Amino acid sequence: NGIRYERRKSEVEINRLNLQHEKVKANRRVIIISSVIVASILIVLLVLSYFFIRLQRRRNRELYEMNATKDKFFSIISHDLKNPALAQRNALQALVDHAAELDAESLSHYYAMLLKAADSQVELLYNLLDWARVQTGRIPFNPVVFPLSSVVRDEVSLLQMLIESKSVRLTIDVSDDLCANADRNMIATVLRNLLTNAIKFSHPEGHIA
């Protein structure tokens, strides 16, 4: 009986130890699973934080660029648009104040000042519009085949008054057969800028070819 009791006691102890061991293993599995879940959540949070920070930085950069573009736009308007507007105002004021005593030569001088100021404003408006479209990415690219001579003639016609005001001689040597496969509006903008600069920096009675 004593041996049976001891054997039974041993079996109970072994079962208790086995149960305790199983509980420890179960607890370990729970800890491991919990750790994996927590680590996964942390990784997801880190990845989300990384992308959120990148998105925030990109938005901040875009906002900074937009503000810089806006500041530059207003700077151009306040500086470049102010000068021809003031010139026009001064010329008109002189015409109003001295209209009765001005001779033909003086009138011609003031008219030339008004024309020059108006040409400067038109040039600036063209450039501002083109620049704004470039900044906002709203310039469509539509390539077509067209004769270059027609675009040259159109742009020269737009600037004819500016050409005549400086008595500049203009020579056009573009064959009617010369065609381009490009965006007509973009080419017109390039030609207009080139012609405007050529006229602006030419001496009076100069020659542009």
Side-chain angles (χ1 to χ4, degrees):
N1 291 333
I3 294 173
R4 288 180 182 177
Y5 175 76
E6 290 296 330
R7 183 180 297 172
R8 181 63 181 170
K9 184 178 178 181
S10 298
E11 289 176 355
V12 170
E13 182 66 20
I14 290 171
N15 289 334
R16 188 183 68 79
L17 292 174
N18 286 336
L19 287 173
Q20 187 175 359
H21 181 67
E22 289 297 327
K23 287 182 179 180
V24 170
K25 288 176 64 178
N27 289 335
R28 285 179 179 175
R29 284 197 296 269
V30 170
I31 292 172
I32 292 173
I33 293 172
S34 300
S35 299
V36 170
I37 292 174
V38 170
S40 300
I41 292 173
L42 288 175
I43 291 173
V44 171
L45 289 175
L46 286 173
V47 171
L48 290 176
S49 299
Y50 170 75
F51 282 109
F52 177 77
I53 291 172
R54 283 193 59 184
L55 179 62
Q56 192 65 35
R57 286 179 177 175
R58 188 176 68 182
R59 287 180 176 175
N60 290 339
R61 185 171 62 251
E62 291 175 351
L63 184 61
Y64 173 80
E65 291 174 353
M66 287 175 63
N67 286 332
T69 300
K70 179 195 67 176
D71 293 341
K72 185 177 180 182
F73 187 77
F74 284 118
S75 174
I76 291 172
I77 291 177
S78 62
H79 181 267
D80 293 351
L81 197 58
K82 177 179 66 177
N83 293 333
L86 286 175
Q88 281 184 327
R89 193 239 177 228
N90 293 336
L92 287 171
Q93 188 65 52
L95 286 172
V96 171
D97 294 341
H98 308 288
E101 54 195 69
L102 291 176
D103 56 20
E105 185 178 352
S106 298
L107 285 173
S108 178
H109 170 72
Y110 285 116
Y111 291 152
M113 287 179 60
L114 288 171
L115 177 60
K116 184 176 181 181
D119 288 334
S120 297
Q121 286 179 321
V122 171
E123 176 191 351
L124 176 62
L125 287 174
Y126 272 126
N127 290 336
L128 283 175
L129 288 173
D130 291 336
W131 177 75
R133 292 170 68 194
V134 169
Q135 295 297 319
T136 55
R138 293 178 181 175
I139 293 186
F141 177 63
N142 299 314
V144 294
V145 177
F146 61 93
L148 280 175
S149 59
S150 63
V151 179
V152 173
R153 282 194 293 268
D154 289 344
E155 295 308 313
V156 168
S157 177
L158 288 174
L159 299 172
Q160 191 62 44
M161 294 183 68
L162 185 60
I163 294 170
E164 293 175 356
S165 68
K166 291 192 70 171
S167 301
V168 173
R169 184 167 58 92
L170 183 67
T171 303
I172 300 175
D173 184 17
V174 182
S175 172
D176 291 336
D177 297 330
L178 183 61
C179 294
N181 183 8
D183 187 290
R184 186 185 178 96
N185 291 329
M186 291 183 180
I187 296 299
T189 300
V190 172
L191 285 172
R192 183 165 60 249
N193 289 335
L194 289 172
L195 281 169
T196 302
N197 286 332
I199 297 166
K200 180 179 179 180
F201 294 106
S202 291
H203 294 292
E205 300 183 359
H207 178 217
I208 298 173

